[in-house]
Amino acid sequence: GFRLGLESIGGRCVFANEIDPYAASIYRRNFEFDFAAASTSDEKKKKCPPLLEADILDVCAQNDIPSDTDILTAGFPCQPFSTRGEQRGLNDEK
């Protein structure tokens, strides 16, 4: 959601992270890009780099996130807030 919102106003994704393997597979299906098949460097710049599948607590801001990043967004896990879940909200262990 955050990525689509930012892209709709001209933003560009430079880093993506997900800990859950299933969620990561969905993200890859929707957003990963074959850089070798891109016809222009401009086309390559518009696409997000590969997803880093790891716990965000293990991510090193100095090494993993580009230094020229202007905005860093993050969100709660959806399950505690979804109408499909138990709706524990902030009381959920996630």
Side-chain angles (χ1 to χ4, degrees):
F2 288 115
R3 176 178 175 169
L4 294 175
L6 285 173
E7 286 179 347
S8 74
I9 59 170
R12 183 173 63 90
C13 178
V14 296
F15 173 80
N17 168 248
E18 177 57 59
I19 190 173
D20 181 82
Y22 179 73
S25 72
I26 299 298
Y27 185 90
R28 283 191 180 96
R29 187 170 357 142
N30 287 299
F31 294 112
E32 282 210 347
F33 179 74
D34 182 1
F35 281 86
S39 60
T40 68
S41 62
D42 286 340
E43 188 176 309
K44 291 178 184 181
K45 289 177 187 176
K46 292 179 184 177
K47 302 300 178 181
C48 191
L51 173 70
L52 178 60
E53 194 171 340
D55 187 326
I56 193 67
L57 297 175
D58 295 331
V59 172
C60 177
Q62 292 179 334
N63 297 326
D64 296 322
I65 300 173
S67 62
D68 61 346
T69 299
D70 293 323
I71 299 172
L72 181 63
T73 64
F76 289 106
C78 297
Q79 300 89 338
F81 299 92
S82 172
T83 57
R84 302 275 303 186
E86 295 180 25
Q87 298 180 337
R88 294 181 182 158
L90 296 174
N91 294 320
D92 193 274
E93 64 185 42
K94 293 179 186 176

